[in-house]
Amino acid sequence: MTAADAPPIIFVHGTRLSAGQWSSQLAALQEDFRVAAVDLPGHGARSAEPWSLNAATEIIASAVDSLDRGPALVVGHSLGGYASLEFARRCPEQLRGLVLAGASASTRGPWAIPYRWAAGLVPRIPADRLTRCNDRLLRRLYSPEVVDATIRAGYAFHTLPAAWGEVLGRFDADAMRHVAAPVLILNGEKDTVFRSGERDFVRAHPRARIELIPRARHLSNFDDPEAFTDAVRRFALEVPAHS
């Protein structure tokens, strides 16, 4: 398949972040593919909107429609990966392929306990303090061209309790049975928490496979933007043509 025949690509960001998370991927892919990145409700330009999975799936669906190229490849990271799983269940006719990045852990059972604790703790810490900490961390770990767009867009700490409150307890490998399209589980090699269910997720889907970004952690598209982009590009060229 050539890029001209490949699906449009929609990127869906992770917890507290925004469409800016995908600046490196958009820049690298936009010459060959129709691409877009969304802000989920309560994040980025939609900061004032209340969070819900219903609203998140509608935003993804609208982004697919806006590219006017038919069903899309949807790439979701972390929170965005679980929102993309919900989109796949509700809008199968709009999906040609799904990339789950850092979103192959069950959100049920004991795994969810520390995330429930974190979701309860975040509102007790001043947002400006959290912002300074996040800015320092990103600038220490990554180059400006990778993280500047994310830093400029700010962080959705206020949305974290509602977002993870809805996601926790809702998803496990069984969610893969509702995905009609091929799936790439794309994880950072060192993202041990979110890799915990990757084999269960693959076993639950007849057209799913795992690919790892060497030495990368949870933010694998920041840790190695080129490798992440290359994996998405190759998968986009592999998915079957829309009939």
Side-chain angles (χ1 to χ4, degrees):
M1 182 189 298
T2 66
D5 302 315
I9 307 174
I10 303 294
F11 290 91
V12 189
H13 63 80
T15 303
R16 83 187 182 283
L17 302 179
S18 67
Q21 176 182 350
W22 305 109
S23 59
S24 296
Q25 283 66 51
L26 296 179
L29 295 170
Q30 63 186 354
E31 289 189 9
D32 297 320
F33 300 87
R34 294 290 299 275
V35 294
V38 302
D39 284 323
L40 292 173
H43 298 75
R46 300 179 182 273
S47 179
E49 298 178 14
W51 165 269
S52 75
L53 272 176
N54 285 339
T57 58
E58 290 172 2
I59 287 168
I60 298 170
S62 294
V64 175
D65 287 341
S66 73
L67 294 184
D68 197 26
R69 288 288 301 274
L73 170 61
V74 176
V75 181
H77 174 258
S78 195
L79 173 65
Y82 296 110
S84 298
L85 272 172
E86 185 71 3
F87 168 78
R89 182 180 73 84
R90 297 188 186 196
C91 305
E93 73 285 351
Q94 290 185 283
L95 188 70
R96 263 178 73 182
L98 177 64
V99 178
L100 295 178
S104 55
S106 172
T107 69
R108 302 178 187 270
W111 179 91
I113 293 173
Y115 286 86
R116 292 191 189 281
W117 176 82
L121 176 64
V122 164
R124 303 178 187 178
I125 303 173
D128 59 345
R129 179 180 174 188
L130 290 170
T131 295
R132 289 194 300 271
C133 290
N134 273 257
D135 286 351
R136 283 198 299 268
L137 179 64
L138 292 180
R139 289 186 173 120
R140 179 168 61 85
L141 293 176
Y142 307 111
S143 64
E145 59 267 23
V146 171
V147 298
D148 272 359
T150 292
I151 291 171
R152 285 195 303 270
Y155 309 100
F157 300 115
H158 65 290
T159 302
L160 192 151
W164 279 102
E166 188 173 13
V167 167
L168 292 175
R170 190 181 188 107
F171 294 97
D172 58 18
D174 192 59
M176 295 284 282
R177 304 184 190 278
H178 301 291
V179 182
V183 180
L184 173 64
I185 294 177
L186 183 60
N187 284 328
E189 179 187 17
K190 295 184 177 181
D191 187 12
T192 54
V193 170
F194 285 90
R195 288 190 59 195
S196 62
E198 64 184 21
R199 295 190 181 280
D200 292 333
F201 274 58
V202 165
R203 282 192 290 266
H205 193 286
R207 292 186 293 166
R209 65 177 176 84
I210 299 168
E211 184 168 341
L212 300 180
I213 306 295
R215 299 174 297 281
R217 295 151 296 192
H218 187 53
L219 285 167
S220 57
N221 76 301
F222 284 0
D223 286 324
D224 195 335
E226 292 81 7
F228 190 99
T229 301
D230 181 61
V232 172
R233 181 189 298 275
R234 285 185 280 104
F235 187 64
L237 296 175
E238 292 170 8
V239 297
H242 175 58
S243 60

